[in-house]
Amino acid sequence: MGSTGGRTRGAPEPGPRAAADAPYAATDDPGATEAAARARNGLVRRLTEDGALTDPRWWAAFEAVPRHLFVPYYYEAGEGRVGSYAAQGSGSAGYARLCRDDPDPSRRARWLAGAYADAPLATRMRGGELISSSSQPSLMARMLEALEVADGNSVLEIGAGTGYNAALLAHRVGDERVTTLDLDAEITDAARAQLAAAGFRPAVVTGDGARGWPDRAPYDRIIATCAVPSVPGAWPGQCRPGGLILTPLATGLIALRVPDAGHAEGRFLATPAYFVPLRGTAPPPSVSTHGIPPRPLMDDSFRFLLNLVAGRMEPVEALALWEHEDRPGRERYGVTVRGDRQWAWLDDPEGPYGWPLGPGR
């Protein structure tokens, strides 16, 4: 199902790889390649200025990997049908489809600008549901830096998406050390083709993300680009001792150290994160705001707590805790996994504030 590359990248060379932009030049216009390179350099400059990119090795990866090759089309909300390239079908009503091959030069330019905007892009819809997207580049950069990848690390990515994140990882550690996984064969087929077009060949496999991919374990790092209601039990068991798992959970990002197969623990990053749920998992519990005045609901840190304790604490209790503890930010919360048990906590895994995660929430 997957394919592994026979080529390892060493230390990345600064500067974009112009040859990788060739597929954009469908009109045989040299200016198209130059436009893509300029747009990519502009994105890297913005990410660096905003502090999302601080590690030169990830800076080099973002400069070298052409995002536009991974989003040959995407959807913009709110425009509806636009010419012959308007969104079609029940899954994309009310969306404009921007496409690399649009015959209108102005719409091609708009597509390219969007491909290098610091914004998430809806790339695949089905039955009115968004099932795959390309994440906001600044969030991707922060996640990759938080993953603390070292030379020689092997990485499992849960949620192949367009393949862009896997390409960044492959640029950093080499094709043969990256595995990207998705439940949907249509998504993995497209990701594999787009990776190859950009010159990357990590292993792209189709399977249940909650089960990981034991065939290529153990991994030094596991990163999920989809949200989970709790940490799948298979993931710590597929990490090497000392490994790291980074996953979206409850509108946050939890970074878990894995001392052994049965244990994982860590804190949330300060960064908010909103991802498409991992397909095949139970939906997160509904978040109630009953009895909560409007002002706390405008505070991101309180909304995060409501998501974290949904189904385990009444909203008014959550508000009382939040106010008593001086409105804690995400980074004061953490998650512990011990065998079949896992829970979220505030400040201390053994402290007074803890909430079970997993089935039965």
Side-chain angles (χ1 to χ4, degrees), residues 70-71 73-75 121-125 130-134 161-162:
F70 296 90
V71 287
Y73 64 87
Y74 57 87
Y75 297 97
L121 300 174
T123 57
R124 197 170 299 271
M125 302 185 71
L130 174 64
I131 64 170
S132 188
S133 64
S134 180
T162 65

Side-chain angles (χ1 to χ4, degrees), residues 17-267:
R17 299 182 303 163
D21 294 322
Y24 172 48
T27 59
D28 296 324
D29 178 7
T33 297
E34 295 175 6
R38 287 196 302 271
R40 186 164 66 253
N41 289 339
L43 173 63
V44 172
R45 183 172 59 253
R46 290 193 299 276
L47 297 183
T48 303
E49 291 171 351
D50 292 345
L53 275 177
T54 61
D55 186 328
R57 291 162 296 190
W58 287 119
W59 176 88
F62 274 87
E63 189 175 56
V65 178
R67 189 189 190 203
H68 67 279
L69 296 190
F70 296 90
V71 287
Y73 64 87
Y74 57 87
Y75 297 97
E76 281 188 346
E79 186 172 326
R81 301 177 64 85
V82 181
S84 61
Y85 280 78
Q88 301 289 335
S90 62
S92 50
Y95 286 81
R97 186 176 189 266
L98 296 178
C99 180
R100 175 177 63 198
D101 299 323
D102 195 304
D104 182 342
S106 65
R107 286 181 58 78
R108 287 201 306 274
R110 182 174 155 194
W111 161 80
L112 183 64
Y116 285 105
D118 185 25
L121 300 174
T123 57
R124 197 170 299 271
M125 302 185 71
R126 187 178 297 155
E129 177 187 4
L130 174 64
I131 64 170
S132 188
S133 64
S134 180
S135 301
Q136 184 176 8
S138 58
L139 179 57
M140 296 174 70
R142 288 186 168 93
M143 289 178 68
L144 289 169
E145 293 206 351
L147 195 60
E148 300 179 8
V149 174
D151 293 344
N153 278 175
S154 60
V155 184
L156 172 64
E157 179 191 31
I158 309 294
T162 65
Y164 178 51
N165 201 57
L168 294 167
L169 286 163
H171 186 281
R172 174 67 181 86
V173 298
D175 291 340
E176 74 285 357
R177 295 187 178 91
V178 176
T179 304
T180 186
L181 170 68
D182 204 285
L183 182 65
D184 193 318
E186 187 178 322
I187 290 175
T188 53
D189 287 347
R192 188 180 297 110
Q194 286 154 190
L195 280 157
F200 297 93
R201 288 176 176 80
V204 183
V205 295
T206 305
D208 183 352
R211 298 176 181 268
W213 193 254
D215 291 5
R216 290 171 60 87
Y219 305 99
D220 298 288
R221 301 288 185 268
I222 295 179
I223 181 172
T225 55
C226 45
V228 295
S230 58
V231 180
W235 294 1
Q238 293 178 23
C239 278
R240 286 192 176 91
L244 180 67
I245 297 171
L246 181 67
T247 185
L249 192 156
T251 76
L253 292 167
I254 186 69
L256 300 164
R257 287 288 176 190
V258 184
D260 57 61
H263 299 83
E265 188 170 273
R267 291 181 179 270

Side-chain angles (χ1 to χ4, degrees), residues 262 336-343 357:
T336 297
V337 178
R338 289 183 185 167
D340 294 334
R341 293 179 57 232
Q342 58 180 283
W343 65 96
L357 297 175

